[in-house]
Amino acid sequence: MWAEFARLIIRYKLAIIIGLVAVTAGMLYQATGVRLAYGLPQMLPEDSPTMVDWRSFQNRFKEESTVFAIGIEKDLFHDVESFNAWYRLGRKLAHMDGVDTLLSIGSAFDIVKDTSKKEFVIDPLIKGPVGSEAELDSIQRKFESLPFYKGLLYNGENNFSIMAISMDNERFNSTERTEFFGGVLQVIEDFETETGTKIYYSGMPYIRENLSALVKKELKTLLLLTILITITILLIFFKSLKPVIISMTVVCMGVIWSLGTLNMLNYEITILTSLISPLMIVIGIPNCIYLINKFHSELNDHGNKAKALVRVVSRIGSATFMTNATTATGFLTFVFTQSILLVEFGIVAFISIMFLFLLSILIITITYSYLPSPTGKKTDHLNQRWVVNLVNWFDRLTGKHRPLVYVLTACVVLVSINGMRLIETTGNIVDDLPKNHTVVNDLHWFETHFGGVVPFEIEIDTRKKRRVSQSKVLEEIEATQELFRKDPNFSKSISIVDAMKFIKQAYYNGDPERYELITSRERAFFSDYVDNSNADKNLLNAYVDSTQRYARINLQVADIGTIEMDSLLAKYHPRIDSIFNPKRRLQDSLLAIIGTSDDGHLVDSLSERILKRNSSANRVFKASLQSEGSNATVDLDSIHFAGDTGMINALSRAVDSTYLGVLITGPSITFLEGTNYLVRNLFISLSIAILIVALLMAVVFSSLRMIIISVITNLIPLLFTAGIMGYFGINIKPSTILVFSVAFGISVDDTIHYLAKYRQELRLTNNDIGRSVHLALKETGVSMVYTSIILFFGFGVFASSDFGGTQALGILVSLTLMVAMFANLVLLPSFLMSFEKAMLTRWFQEPFLTLLDEEEDLELDDLDFRVASNEKTKEL
């Protein structure tokens, strides 16, 4: 098949060139339309419970705004000029198109009672620029008399202030974002320049904007650096411009095709998909090295260019296809995570790598068919002394020092396993940014003085419409807010309770002592004001849904690690639930006894006790019996629960229906769950990658023993890297877990090339294992060293990234692949030599799929010469 493919390439090379140019032009056009992702990277599937809860919350409370915050270290209440400048800044920003609302000291408002109309009216505290210090003192006294704002806009301990700018979410996540948000930032920067005031920026919009800008910068920088380092290494290896130009043509077209694919699939450039372009260069160059080295090697053997080109495709075309397929498979397994972020990355990477294989075969074969045969020094790179000496050293280790190889390998494995025990799984939103980055420093400023900035939402489901306003529920919401009041990880909480307190204070003419919940006896006095006023509705709508069944407590949490966030949830969720459902613990323990006890009398007694003490559960339980056709008026004493699973389940459902629902959600929770989800599923994807690669090798080699030693050989570098991560405190997180799947898919390429050549040598040496191992190492060693060095420095370029995750990915993959080179050039041959006949099975010699088949090559000799003759005739 591959011989026929080679013949077709040479015969129809002009048509293929035209086709490649046309497709590349089309892909280039598509690449110009690729878009940068503006939204938060979504790590969870849409149908995951956490995402479903978050989407429901957003729809229920119309959570469509994006809040951006700025802060200053200045006491505005003791500086008229600074106060007026802050006020004018707020007014200017508030009137910008795309800004929904703005809240600051300068835009703070009071609620006043209009007794003539019996309604509440919003009254701005500041009507315009302040004229004197006395006026400013008056504003300060009024502001400090409103507990609603305490800790929200102004830190009384150090007199620092913040401004919260709420922007239209749809516009912020559109292509208009850069221009719009840039305009907002420009106004703030102008204020900073004019006043000489240091501004601190934070909030999810600011973090996202900076992350997007870094992604855009990364794409260009990493691409350029990868090209430069690759060209430099290729020149050192080949000492000729032609192989370098041909190789760079292949990978540059691969980059264009990958970007075109990204746009055709309607995907956006994210922190992961931005890595695909430099990856195409790093992964594509080894294809070129193997193919060009084989071409030069064949020319050295017989000097016939056409025959050499046909042999390049027919002898290692299938092997190259398999190596690309295994590498692509390492990426494709990310689709099993069902994470949109990783699925898109995996699909585009898979398609792009397979495109690279096709481009490398076609371009190298066609280009060299037109060029004159390289001679003399242009093929000397095959015999560079340092490479030959290195390969000979590997050969001596496998031949004479195998016990030392096994001892060192065992030590590496044991030390690595110990290091693996030290790895932790954690991460936070700005974890991948440099520790001294402005975003990180400003974030810490906000966390220190005003609590966190990452939304942390608590939703209360009261189970009934219009139940939120009940005094008992409001008191429970207030108790919940009190839980978080002294926790430095959280900002001040806001809920319907704060709005109700604000309204009550307004009713009592602004008396700060009246900033408390409305009592049951006071409700009648407030009814006319509430019915006639819109002021309270504007405050309440954001924290109560339209049916008044759901209430919301809004907080912001510090950007702590996922381990710390798990601890916070474990601490607060049961405490919040115990506030709203104080009977749950007792009733659940009774239900547990009912469900497991064999004592019929005890079961009936406990069931009746629950229903008699829980009137709501009693009603629900009877209603369920009635819906099933039973007599709902039957006295509970006549109902027997013992041994009746249906009755016990009905009782359990009835009790559950009486509990108020407590849901903790928000970006802080989706990020936490997303991180845990990815780590959990990426280990699954790695396992699937290993399985798929093993199956592919089974098709190629048809030997279980050979598959086992191949997998073991390539798992050892992964163990080594995991150990390094443990010892150096590199945490497992979405960006670092990629290392294992990517590295395994690439490192197994050398195994396939080596074993394919080893099997071919077995036939030529009449199953002389020692000589076959030696000859296979000599043949493939040079290319394996070259490609490993290219991969090492290519991935090493990622260490220049501004993202910690990308840095770790580059360093760890480089390290893994370098260890994989030693494993494949020393450990794998040692296994083959040690086990000898055990590895030599009939199925290994006669596989289902042939990669390198000498017999086929002998039959192709006449074909090669015919092709060469035809080419010569055409040239004449």
Side-chain angles (χ1 to χ4, degrees):
M1 179 187 77
W2 290 99
E4 182 65 22
F5 183 47
R7 186 173 64 178
L8 289 174
I9 293 173
I10 295 176
R11 177 174 294 174
Y12 299 106
K13 57 187 178 182
L14 183 59
I16 293 173
I17 291 173
I18 295 172
L20 288 175
V21 171
V23 173
T24 303
M27 286 295 193
L28 183 60
Y29 173 77
Q30 288 290 332
T32 59
V34 71
R35 306 176 309 281
L36 192 67
Y38 291 117
L40 282 173
Q42 186 172 324
M43 295 182 286
L44 287 170
E46 276 292 338
D47 60 352
S48 69
T50 302
M51 282 305 298
V52 171
D53 289 341
W54 174 232
R55 298 297 185 216
S56 298
F57 176 89
Q58 289 177 303
N59 292 331
R60 191 169 290 127
F61 293 99
K62 310 302 179 187
E63 186 67 12
E64 296 297 337
S65 294
T66 302
V67 180
F68 163 54
I70 58 175
I72 55 173
E73 293 183 345
K74 184 169 285 190
D75 185 356
L76 297 176
F77 285 124
H78 292 86
D79 187 336
V80 173
E81 185 178 347
S82 295
F83 186 92
N84 286 334
W86 190 248
Y87 169 76
R88 286 192 294 268
L89 173 64
R91 296 282 292 176
K92 192 170 185 178
L93 290 171
H95 286 88
M96 291 186 70
D97 186 28
V99 174
D100 286 346
T101 58
L102 183 142
L103 193 60
S104 72
I105 291 177
S107 64
F109 60 87
D110 189 11
I111 300 177
V112 296
K113 181 177 64 173
D114 187 337
T115 54
S116 62
K117 296 181 180 180
K118 288 192 174 184
E119 65 179 14
F120 293 117
V121 179
I122 295 292
D123 182 32
L125 291 185
I126 298 93
K127 307 295 193 298
V130 176
S132 65
E133 290 187 7
E135 184 182 351
L136 186 56
D137 289 341
S138 175
I139 292 173
Q140 180 180 9
R141 286 193 297 272
K142 182 61 178 177
F143 184 83
E144 291 177 347
S145 72
L146 300 174
F148 180 82
Y149 294 110
K150 186 177 181 180
L152 188 63
L153 302 174
Y154 183 74
N155 187 328
E157 295 180 2
N158 49 38
N159 301 323
F160 295 166
S161 298
I162 62 172
M163 182 183 295
I165 307 159
S166 178
M167 298 173 291
D168 179 72
N169 193 55
E170 184 175 346
R171 182 167 184 181
F172 185 80
N173 287 332
S174 71
T175 54
E176 301 177 22
R177 165 170 155 176
T178 301
E179 181 180 355
F180 160 61
F181 196 57
V184 172
L185 292 176
Q186 187 60 55
V187 170
I188 299 170
E189 289 169 5
D190 290 343
F191 165 84
E192 195 171 7
T193 302
E194 292 169 5
T195 63
T197 304
K198 164 68 177 174
I199 297 289
Y200 295 89
Y201 302 82
S202 200
M204 294 306 295
Y206 183 71
I207 294 172
R208 287 161 56 188
E209 176 65 17
N210 276 272
L211 287 174
S212 296
L214 280 176
V215 167
K216 189 175 182 179
K217 175 187 172 185
E218 290 275 282
L219 178 59
K220 297 177 181 177
T221 304
L222 291 181
L223 194 58
L224 179 61
L225 287 176
T226 305
I227 291 173
L228 290 176
I229 195 71
T230 304
I231 290 175
T232 302
I233 296 174
L234 286 175
L235 281 172
I236 293 173
F237 284 167
F238 289 113
K239 294 183 173 60
S240 172
L241 276 175
K242 287 180 183 178
V244 176
I245 294 172
I246 293 170
S247 299
M248 295 313 300
T249 300
V250 171
V251 295
C252 287
M253 288 178 68
V255 168
I256 294 171
W257 285 32
S258 68
L259 290 173
T261 301
L262 192 69
N263 190 53
M264 289 173 67
L265 293 174
N266 201 31
Y267 295 161
E268 296 175 327
I269 296 178
T270 65
I271 190 172
L272 285 186
T273 53
S274 66
L275 299 178
I276 291 178
S277 294
L279 277 174
M280 290 306 99
I281 297 174
V282 176
I283 294 173
I285 289 298
N287 284 351
C288 301
I289 290 176
Y290 272 111
L291 294 170
I292 293 173
N293 277 356
K294 183 62 178 175
F295 174 63
H296 288 171
S297 177
E298 288 291 334
L299 279 178
N300 283 347
D301 288 345
H302 52 71
N304 187 308
K305 183 178 71 172
K307 182 177 180 179
L309 289 173
V310 173
R311 282 191 171 184
V312 166
V313 179
S314 62
R315 284 192 169 188
I316 66 171
S318 183
T320 305
F321 172 79
M322 286 301 301
T323 57
N324 280 264
T326 54
T327 300
T329 298
F331 289 95
L332 187 62
T333 53
F334 293 145
V335 302
F336 293 103
T337 66
Q338 297 182 343
S339 165
I340 294 176
L341 183 69
L342 282 172
V343 167
E344 292 180 357
F345 174 67
I347 290 174
V348 176
F350 174 81
I351 295 172
S352 300
I353 291 171
M354 297 316 296
F355 279 158
L356 266 179
F357 161 74
L358 184 63
L359 287 169
S360 58
I361 287 284
L362 295 178
I363 292 174
I364 289 174
T365 304
I366 292 172
T367 303
Y368 274 114
S369 71
Y370 281 110
L371 294 175
S373 299
T375 56
K377 293 183 179 180
K378 294 181 180 180
T379 60
D380 285 349
H381 63 89
L382 297 173
N383 299 304
Q384 291 193 62
R385 180 171 297 178
W386 70 272
V387 179
V388 172
N389 289 340
L390 182 61
V391 173
N392 288 336
W393 180 68
F394 291 150
D395 188 44
R396 287 195 297 274
L397 283 177
T398 59
K400 300 179 180 179
H401 304 287
R402 286 196 299 279
L404 176 62
V405 170
Y406 296 142
V407 169
L408 291 176
T409 300
C411 291
V412 168
V413 169
L414 292 175
V415 172
S416 299
I417 291 174
N418 183 62
M420 286 177 62
R421 299 187 302 104
L422 306 176
I423 298 179
E424 292 185 345
T425 300
T426 188
N428 50 35
I429 293 175
V430 298
D431 193 37
D432 286 335
L433 289 174
K435 300 303 180 185
N436 60 347
H437 195 279
T438 303
V439 171
V440 178
N441 292 333
D442 286 7
L443 176 63
H444 290 161
W445 184 89
F446 273 86
E447 290 174 348
T448 300
H449 302 297
F450 291 92
V453 298
V454 184
F456 183 94
E457 304 282 357
I458 303 172
E459 179 187 83
I460 310 302
D461 180 4
T462 64
R463 308 295 187 188
K464 293 180 182 179
K465 292 181 179 180
R466 307 188 66 82
R467 191 178 179 184
V468 167
S469 58
Q470 292 181 3
S471 298
K472 183 174 181 295
V473 174
L474 293 174
E475 290 168 2
E476 290 167 345
I477 292 175
E478 184 180 34
T480 300
Q481 290 183 258
E482 189 63 25
L483 283 178
F484 295 92
R485 188 171 62 84
K486 294 183 179 180
D487 192 326
N489 288 307
F490 292 92
S491 67
K492 178 182 178 179
S493 62
I494 300 291
S495 74
I496 181 179
V497 167
D498 300 280
M500 297 295 286
K501 289 179 178 179
F502 203 163
I503 291 169
K504 180 173 179 178
Q505 181 182 1
Y507 183 82
Y508 288 101
N509 302 313
D511 181 0
E513 298 297 325
R514 294 290 188 166
Y515 187 76
E516 57 188 6
L517 281 172
I518 301 170
T519 64
S520 300
R521 289 186 300 173
E522 292 172 321
R523 286 180 178 271
F525 304 138
F526 286 84
S527 60
D528 290 340
Y529 285 88
V530 172
D531 291 340
N532 296 334
S533 178
N534 288 322
D536 60 320
K537 293 183 176 61
N538 292 332
L539 283 173
L540 300 181
N541 286 346
Y543 303 102
V544 182
D545 80 313
S546 58
T547 67
Q548 295 189 32
R549 169 180 166 174
Y550 295 91
R552 164 195 183 187
I553 303 174
N554 171 252
L555 302 96
Q556 280 75 42
V557 66
D559 185 29
I560 55 180
T562 53
I563 294 176
E564 293 85 351
M565 182 62 75
D566 267 328
S567 298
L568 282 181
L569 290 178
K571 172 184 176 182
Y572 283 113
H573 198 285
R575 294 173 68 180
I576 297 170
D577 188 74
S578 66
I579 290 173
F580 290 96
N581 303 297
K583 296 180 180 179
R584 183 194 290 268
R585 185 174 181 180
L586 173 61
Q587 292 184 152
D588 283 357
S589 63
L590 294 178
L591 287 171
I593 296 172
I594 291 170
T596 57
S597 177
D598 295 328
D599 187 337
H601 177 73
L602 177 63
V603 169
D604 287 339
S605 175
L606 293 178
S607 301
E608 291 171 14
R609 176 184 174 185
I610 290 174
L611 291 174
K612 287 179 178 179
R613 293 190 178 185
N614 190 331
S615 57
S616 297
N618 195 333
R619 287 193 298 272
V620 173
F621 178 73
K622 288 183 176 181
S624 67
L625 293 183
Q626 190 174 30
S627 66
E628 296 174 4
S630 300
N631 184 0
T633 62
V634 174
D635 188 78
L636 291 177
D637 294 334
S638 65
I639 301 176
H640 296 287
F641 292 87
D644 192 333
T645 304
M647 282 290 187
I648 294 175
N649 289 338
L651 172 63
S652 180
R653 289 193 298 269
V655 172
D656 284 341
S657 69
T658 65
Y659 296 144
L660 273 65
V662 175
L663 171 67
I664 299 179
T665 187
S668 55
I669 306 304
T670 58
F671 182 83
L672 165 68
E673 292 299 324
T675 299
N676 292 336
Y677 177 88
L678 285 188
V679 171
R680 185 168 59 250
N681 283 274
L682 281 169
F683 277 115
I684 295 174
S685 73
L686 175 60
S687 302
I688 294 173
I690 294 171
L691 177 62
I692 293 176
V693 168
L695 292 174
L696 288 172
M697 296 183 73
V699 173
V700 175
F701 299 116
S702 303
S703 170
L704 179 61
R705 299 166 189 167
M706 199 63 67
I707 293 169
I708 291 173
I709 68 164
S710 300
V711 170
I712 291 174
T713 299
N714 287 284
L715 283 181
I716 289 174
L718 302 188
L719 286 176
F720 177 81
T721 301
I724 291 294
M725 292 175 68
Y727 288 122
F728 286 89
I730 302 174
N731 296 324
I732 288 286
K733 52 187 176 181
S735 52
T736 54
I737 194 67
L738 294 175
V739 171
F740 301 104
S741 294
V742 172
F744 181 79
I746 296 175
S747 65
V748 80
D749 294 355
D750 285 344
T751 305
I752 292 175
H753 276 292
Y754 181 82
L755 290 180
K757 184 61 183 176
Y758 168 68
R759 186 177 62 199
Q760 185 190 62
E761 293 297 341
L762 281 174
R763 295 189 175 188
L764 297 176
T765 61
N766 195 24
N767 294 336
D768 186 332
I769 294 176
R771 190 158 177 258
S772 297
V773 168
H774 169 77
L775 292 173
L777 192 58
K778 293 286 187 181
E779 171 78 17
T780 60
V782 173
S783 293
M784 289 166 72
V785 170
Y786 281 0
T787 57
S788 295
I789 293 174
I790 286 281
L791 289 168
F792 178 82
F793 285 103
F795 277 102
V797 166
F798 290 2
S800 65
S801 169
D802 288 325
F803 290 109
T806 306
Q807 292 175 359
L809 176 68
I811 294 171
L812 293 174
V813 170
S814 296
L815 184 64
T816 306
L817 294 178
M818 190 54 63
V819 175
M821 179 191 76
F822 287 97
N824 281 298
L825 287 175
V826 178
L827 185 60
L828 179 59
S830 296
F831 280 149
L832 296 175
M833 292 282 286
S834 296
F835 295 106
E836 292 191 357
K837 299 296 181 181
M839 293 292 107
L840 193 60
T841 65
R842 180 175 66 87
W843 293 109
F844 179 69
Q845 293 178 325
E846 299 176 9
F848 175 77
L849 176 64
T850 300
L851 294 187
L852 303 176
D853 196 326
E854 189 66 23
E855 292 179 4
E856 179 189 17
D857 182 62
L858 293 174
E859 295 173 359
L860 286 173
D861 282 351
D862 291 338
L863 169 65
D864 295 344
F865 284 117
R866 286 201 305 273
V867 173
S869 178
N870 290 339
E871 289 299 313
K872 188 172 182 180
T873 302
K874 289 180 182 179
E875 291 174 4
L876 293 174

